Amino acid sequence: MAINSVGVVGAGQMGNGIAHVFALAGYDVLISDISQDALDNAVTLIDKNLERQASRGKISEDDRKAAMGRIKTTLNLADLGQTDLIIEAATERETVKQAIFEDLLPHLKPNTILTSNTSSISITRLASRTDRPEKFMGFHFMNPVPVMQLVELIRGIATDDETYQTLLDVVERIGKTAASAEDFPAFIVNRILMPMINEAVYTLYEGVGNVQSIDSAMKLGTNHPMGPLELADFIGLDTCLAIMNVLHEGLADTKYRPCPLLTKYVEAGWLGRKTGRGFYDYRGETPVPTR
Ligand SMILES: CC(=O)CC(=O)SCCNC(=O)CCNC(=O)[C@H](O)C(C)(C)COP(=O)(O)OP(=O)(O)OC[C@H]1O[C@@H](n2cnc3c(N)ncnc32)[C@H](O)[C@@H]1OP(=O)(O)O
Ligand SMILES: NC(=O)C1=CN([C@@H]2O[C@H](COP(=O)(O)OP(=O)(O)OC[C@H]3O[C@@H](n4cnc5c(N)ncnc54)[C@H](OP(=O)(O)O)[C@@H]3O)[C@@H](O)[C@H]2O)C=CC1
C-alpha cells in the first residue's frame, strides 16, 4: 500500500523525532497532542535539529525548508483520520494508548495502518481493541530518532503480510534499518537494555557506586556512549519504570522487579532531562549528580 501522509500522536521527544525523519523523507506529517505547548515546542525543536543538520552539511537548505513545510500540527485527533499511516507516540501507559485508538477509529480511512511506538506494551492487546488488528503493528523507534539507525518492527498475532511489507518499505524510505521482534514484553531492545538500567539503579540504591562512578564505569569500561543512569535520564525515568512494570507483570519473574529507588524518583517527578532533574540535575550549566 502506498503511504504518503503520516499522523503522529504525541508531540514529546519521540513524536518530534519521528515527525522530523518522516518530513525529511518526503512524507506529509500531521502531529497531534493534547497540549498546544507540546505542539509548539515540538515544531521549534524540529526546526532547531534540522538547522543543525543543515549547518553541518548533512542536509541541504532546500531539504530543511521542504521538511518544515511538510509538518503541520493539530489539537484535534480526528484530523489525523485522513492520513495513510498513524504512529502513536504518546505516554507509555496502556490506558492512554487505548483511549487514543478508540477516539481515532471513527475518523479513519478503511486502509489506514495503525502503529504504536510503544517501548514494551503488547501489540496484540492494543490491536485487539481496534477494528483492524490485521493492519496494526509495533513501530518502535530509538531515541534520538534522527540519529539512531534501528527501528524494531513488531507484528501482533493478527498482523497481515501486506502491513508488515508496507512498514518494511517505509523503514527503507526513511533510511533506517528494521529488526523484527516477536510480540513479547518489551520486545528485543528494551528486554535487554532496561534490566541493565534497572540494575544500575540497584547498584546506586545499594551503595555499590554513586551516580558518577556507575556512569564512568560503564562508559569507560564498556565503551557505552552514555552511562546507564545518564541514559535513563535521557529516555525518561517514567518510561523506564513503565517498561520495567510491563516486564515484571508480563513475564512474572522477580528478576524484573523495578528498583524502589527508580520508583521514588518517578514519584518525586524527577523524570530526567525532560523535567530538569533525574539522576542528574540539569538546571545549571552542567549536569550535577543527585546522589
Ligand atoms: C527506551 C526505548 O524504548 C528505546 C530507546 O530509544 S533506548 C535508547 C537508545 N539510545 C541510545 O542508547 C543513545 C545512546 N547515546 C548516544 O548514542 C549518543 O550519546 C548520542 C547520539 C545521543 C549523542 O552523541 P554525542 O556524540 O555524545 O553527541 P553529539 O556530538 O552532540 O551528537 C552526535 C550527533 O547526533 C546529533 N544529535 C544528538 N542529539 C540529537 C537529537 N535529539 N536530534 C537530532 N540530532 C541529534 C548531533 O547533532 C550530532 O550530529 P553530527 O554527527 O552531525 O555532528
Ligand atoms: N523516551 C524514549 O527514549 C523512547 C520512548 N519510546 C516510547 O515512545 C512513547 C512516547 O515517549 P516519549 O516521547 O519519550 O514521552 P514524552 O513524555 O516525551 O511525550 C509524550 C507526549 O504524549 C503526550 N500525550 C499524553 N497523553 C496524550 C494523549 N491522550 N493524546 C496525545 N498526546 C498525549 C504528552 O503530553 P503531556 O506532556 O501533556 O502529558 C507528551 O507530549 C512512549 O510509548 C515510549 O515508551 C520509544 C522509544 C524510545
Side-chain angles (χ1 to χ4, degrees), residues 9 35 46 65 99-100 103 131 143 153 166 204 208 223 249 256 270 272 287 289:
V9 188
S35 137
I46 295 168
K65 277 196 201 132
I100 288 169
D103 290 348
D131 62 354
N143 187 13
L153 290 183
T166 302
L204 179 66
V208 182
N223 267 3
E249 285 158 24
Y256 299 112
W270 294 15

Side-chain angles (χ1 to χ4, degrees), residues 8-17 19 31-43 45-46 73-74 87 89-91:
V8 177
V9 188
Q13 52 184 342
M14 294 307 291
N16 85 56
I31 318 173
S32 142
D33 198 284
I34 42 176
S35 137
Q36 186 62 47
D37 279 355
L39 290 171
D40 294 343
N41 289 341
V43 171
L45 205 60
I46 295 168
T73 62
T74 178
I87 306 173
T91 310

